[in-house]
């Protein structure tokens, strides 16, 4: 009797997840429903839809980390409900954050006798906005002190910059002086920068690991140029290094490129913890060589969370998990761990680069490659192009973007493979063999089939 009664009280969705047929009611999915649904049904419906996304592990397009150790995953879940900005309530999280800043400043050779400062951000984009603002305000304060016009700030950068630099210039009203690329050169040189410098230059932005080819700008030579400029004109123009993707690679490589705080004019550096810092998306870092670079009027003191807290960020509330995860990697891997991972990734990318260089169909772009990124182009005239190769590779599961190179070289369509720690040599060999199959298939395809052209596609991050 009891058994029968309890069965009668069961609702249809208690019996089976799909029995309620919520999945057919598409109207409730894009506007909020009156009465909601059971947790397991909601979870299942969302999971079913998310399954149509690509598999992060197979994504060779992105620099962003797609795998962490299970222990890191545990820590991430444990700190999901801690608001990072509540330093008073969660002082331990703040301690880990400060340790990360300290570790990075040391790795970047910040001089001990100067007061370096730094902060975790959502990513390099936020870090770059903050760095640019600090340089703009410093320049303006300096100009005002000298009684000079401070209405026309400019920033010098290459057209090889990531989109966040264009955003910085537009959002914060700074004139961008953009150096175009050449067909065989995708980095900027000191000679490119020289004619653009003037008294209104707030900063020169250089890149360690460009999004397009994984190369680096002439940072050391530009530093030298800025030292000369300081001597001749008295303009103390800061050099910023956007080390979003290349920073964590160079730090742990033996054949070190000179780019960090050892160079006198390098005053600020950003890195993406969620790229080769090997943490999931949601963490970037900004380090200033000396706290005097940040004008006081940009730092806000808040006390509504208890205690007095200086803040220099764009966002307020955010999760703590990725800060904890970054600290986990530092503790877990140490210098040797990071170095080994970096060496493995470089070895796999060198293997790929060599194979593609020897391949009669492809050429590899860039001679100043400093990170495990391989950018290549299709040689010769064919009835198909790099976009078609990208599309065909998808059938084999590989996500390899095709994109046009920056201004002045935009008719060159490149393919790019970003090697991450979980991309092994075996996978690289599988990839090359699938690439050959794709070429064979396209060679044999009908010459007259019109190709769908997908120009104007943005480069993935
Ligand atoms: C990825 C990238 C950025 C943007 O960084 P996010 O962490 O994605 O905000 C900026 N500059 C370079 C060179 C990059 O590779």
């Amino acid at each position: 009797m009891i058994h029968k009664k309890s069965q009668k009280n069961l609702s249809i969705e208690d019996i089976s997840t799909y029995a309620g047929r919520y999945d057919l009611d598409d109207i409730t999915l894009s506007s909020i429903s009156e009465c909601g649904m059971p947790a397991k049904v909601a979870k299942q419906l969302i999971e079913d839809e998310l399954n149509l996304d690509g598999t992060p592990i197979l994504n060779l397009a992105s620099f962003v980390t797609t795998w962490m150790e299970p222990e890191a995953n545990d820590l991430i879940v444990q700190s999901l409900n801690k608001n990072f900005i509540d330093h008073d309530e969660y002082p331990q999280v703040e301690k880990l954050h400060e340790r990360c800043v300290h570790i990075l400043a040391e790795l970047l050779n910040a001089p001990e006798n100067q007061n370096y400062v730094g902060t975790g951000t959502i990513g390099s984009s936020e870090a770059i906005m903050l760095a640019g603002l600090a340089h703009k305000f410093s320049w303006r304060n300096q100009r005002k002190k000298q009684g000079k016009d401070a209405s026309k700030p400019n920033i010098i950068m290459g057209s090889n910059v990531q989109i966040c630099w264009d955003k910085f210039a537009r959002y914060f009203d700074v004139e961008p002086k953009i150096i175009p690329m050449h067909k065989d050169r995708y980095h900027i040189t000191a000679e490119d920068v020289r004619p653009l410098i003037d008294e209104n230059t707030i900063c020169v932005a250089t890149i360690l690991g460009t999004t397009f080819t994984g190369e680096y700008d002439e940072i050391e030579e530009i530093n030298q140029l800025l030292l000369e400029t300081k001597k001749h004109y008295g303009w103390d123009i800061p050099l910023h290094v956007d080390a979003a993707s290349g920073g964590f690679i160079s730090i742990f490589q033996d054949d070190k490129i000179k780019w960090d705080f050892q160079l006198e004019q390098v005053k600020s550096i950003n890195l993406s913890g969620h790229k080769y810092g090997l943490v999931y998306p949601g963490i970037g870092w900004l380090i200033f060589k000396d706290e005097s670079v940040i004008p006081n009027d940009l730092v806000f003191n808040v006390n509504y969370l208890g205690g007095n807290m200086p803040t220099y960020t764009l966002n307020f509330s955010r999760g703590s998990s990725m800060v904890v995860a970054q600290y986990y990697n530092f503790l877990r891997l140490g210098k040797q761990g990071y170095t080994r991972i970096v060496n493995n990734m470089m070895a796999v990318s060198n293997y790929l680069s060599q194979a593609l260089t020897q391949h009669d169909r492809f050429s590899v772009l860039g001679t100043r490659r400093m990170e495990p990124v391989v950018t290549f182009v299709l040689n010769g005239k064919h009835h198909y192009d790099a976009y078609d190769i990208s599309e065909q590779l998808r059938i084999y599961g590989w996500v390899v973007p095709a994109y046009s190179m920056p201004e002045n070289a935009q008719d060159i369509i490149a393919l790019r493979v970003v090697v991450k720690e979980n991309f092994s040599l075996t996978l690289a060999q599988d990839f090359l063999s699938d690439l050959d199959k794709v070429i064979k298939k396209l060679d044999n395809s009908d010459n007259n089939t019109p190709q769908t052209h997908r120009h104007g596609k943005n480069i993935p991050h």
Side-chain angles (χ1 to χ4, degrees):
M1 270 315 267
I2 289 165
H3 178 67
K4 257 194 168 167
K5 192 170 174 224
S6 66
Q7 259 205 346
K8 209 172 149 195
N9 286 343
L10 283 177
S11 68
I12 190 83
E13 51 280 348
D14 285 330
I15 297 165
S16 155
T17 299
Y18 291 113
R21 293 259 168 232
Y22 289 97
D23 49 334
L24 290 183
D25 193 354
D26 60 350
I27 295 165
T28 59
L29 297 181
S30 47
S31 58
I32 191 155
S33 72
E34 282 305 321
C35 54
M37 60 178 76
K40 72 168 185 182
V41 179
K43 176 169 182 265
Q44 189 62 51
L45 288 185
I46 293 172
E47 265 176 13
D48 289 349
E49 285 204 72
L50 290 181
N51 279 336
L52 289 173
D53 273 342
T55 313
I57 298 285
L58 293 179
N59 185 354
L60 305 185
S62 172
F63 282 93
V64 176
T65 302
T66 53
W67 182 87
M68 288 190 77
E69 289 181 320
E71 289 79 3
N73 292 347
D74 286 348
L75 286 167
I76 286 168
V77 172
Q78 281 170 36
S79 38
L80 277 176
N81 58 356
K82 291 186 178 176
N83 184 2
F84 174 72
I85 204 75
D86 291 359
H87 297 331
D88 244 45
E89 282 82 352
Y90 311 121
Q92 295 309 116
V93 172
E94 173 53 13
K95 245 189 222 169
L96 303 192
H97 171 249
E98 280 173 19
R99 283 186 209 157
C100 287
V101 168
H102 186 77
I103 289 169
L104 280 168
E106 238 177 39
L107 289 170
L108 296 171
N109 294 306
E112 270 174 37
N113 56 356
Q114 290 182 25
N115 301 315
Y116 60 77
V117 284
T119 183
T121 57
I122 290 290
S124 280
S125 304
E126 186 191 359
I128 285 164
M129 301 293 153
L130 293 170
L133 275 172
H135 295 310
K136 179 182 172 181
F137 274 61
S138 287
W139 167 85
R140 195 164 63 189
N141 290 347
Q142 190 66 25
R143 297 283 291 176
K144 282 185 176 160
K145 235 199 282 171
Q146 298 165 342
K148 291 181 177 156
D149 174 45
S151 64
K152 293 186 188 68
N154 69 61
I155 183 165
I156 300 172
M157 54 172 116
S159 69
N160 56 349
V161 290
Q162 211 262 2
I163 190 77
C164 62
W165 285 99
D166 304 290
K167 282 189 186 173
F168 163 74
R170 180 99 45 98
Y171 293 173
F172 295 108
D173 216 7
V174 175
E175 181 204 345
K177 289 194 170 183
I178 297 175
I179 298 162
M181 294 296 117
H182 301 280
K183 287 246 158 74
D184 52 354
R185 179 155 69 72
Y186 306 103
H187 66 274
I188 62 169
T189 68
E191 289 320 303
D192 291 330
V193 173
R194 189 187 296 276
L196 300 181
I197 294 178
D198 62 31
E199 58 185 353
N200 292 320
T201 303
I202 64 163
C203 170
V204 179
T206 53
I207 314 175
L208 186 80
T210 72
T211 320
F212 294 93
T213 54
E215 293 179 284
Y216 63 105
D217 289 333
E218 283 192 355
I219 302 167
E220 200 178 346
E221 292 82 352
I222 294 171
N223 173 69
Q224 201 53 43
L225 168 68
L226 294 179
L227 286 174
E228 285 167 30
T229 309
K230 184 158 68 175
K231 207 165 146 203
H232 283 103
Y233 301 96
W235 306 329
D236 190 0
I237 300 171
L239 181 53
H240 177 92
V241 182
D242 176 357
S245 65
F248 278 98
I249 297 294
S250 180
I251 284 171
F252 298 110
Q253 284 265 285
D254 289 339
D255 52 341
K256 272 194 175 176
I257 303 160
K258 263 200 160 179
W259 62 275
D260 64 15
F261 290 126
Q262 283 175 313
L263 302 179
E264 190 173 326
Q265 291 308 104
V266 174
K267 304 290 175 166
S268 51
I269 294 173
N270 69 278
L271 307 96
S272 292
H274 53 218
K275 290 182 179 172
Y276 291 118
L278 308 177
V279 181
Y280 294 132
I283 186 78
W285 297 99
L286 172 62
I287 313 286
F288 289 99
K289 189 185 236 167
D290 183 338
E291 63 182 350
S292 67
V293 174
I294 313 174
N296 288 335
D297 36 359
L298 284 176
V299 178
F300 290 82
N301 281 294
V302 294
N303 59 10
Y304 27 76
L305 295 172
N308 194 27
M309 188 181 74
T311 82
Y312 181 45
T313 52
L314 294 181
N315 298 291
F316 195 64
S317 299
R318 67 186 185 96
S320 299
S321 297
M322 297 312 151
V323 172
V324 174
Q326 181 75 74
Y327 185 67
Y328 169 82
N329 274 355
F330 285 143
L331 199 61
R332 156 82 174 129
L333 296 172
K335 283 185 189 168
Q336 275 192 17
Y338 266 108
T339 303
R340 283 188 183 197
I341 292 170
V342 166
N343 287 346
N344 286 342
M345 293 187 296
M346 288 307 289
V348 172
S349 71
N350 289 341
Y351 171 84
L352 258 184
S353 165
Q354 227 166 38
L356 288 165
T357 304
Q358 283 159 9
H359 201 292
D360 58 349
R361 285 305 171 88
F362 299 108
S363 296
V364 173
L365 295 185
T367 50
R368 292 168 65 87
R369 193 170 69 87
M370 55 70 54
E371 56 181 353
V373 173
V374 183
T375 308
F376 54 106
V377 292
L378 182 64
N379 292 334
K381 280 240 172 294
H382 307 275
H383 62 282
Y384 53 86
D385 62 15
Y387 292 111
D388 300 306
I389 295 175
S390 169
E391 197 168 286
Q392 289 296 321
L393 280 169
R394 237 170 222 264
I395 297 172
Y396 292 89
W398 305 108
V399 182
V400 176
Y403 55 89
S404 56
M405 296 301 280
E407 198 187 331
N408 235 20
Q410 63 270 65
D411 51 325
I412 295 178
I413 311 299
L415 291 152
R416 185 187 72 189
V417 173
V418 176
V419 173
K420 293 197 282 286
E421 64 173 323
N422 49 351
F423 189 70
S424 62
L425 196 64
T426 321
L427 283 176
Q429 286 163 344
D430 289 342
F431 168 76
L432 287 169
S433 124
D434 288 342
L435 183 62
D436 275 334
K437 285 182 211 155
V438 162
I439 291 295
K440 209 176 232 164
K441 184 174 161 195
L442 286 169
D443 279 345
N444 293 332
S445 71
D446 186 354
N447 270 355
N448 299 320
T449 313
Q451 301 298 329
T452 40
H453 283 277
R454 295 152 293 270
H455 292 300
K457 253 175 96 165
N458 280 333
I459 185 171
H461 313 294

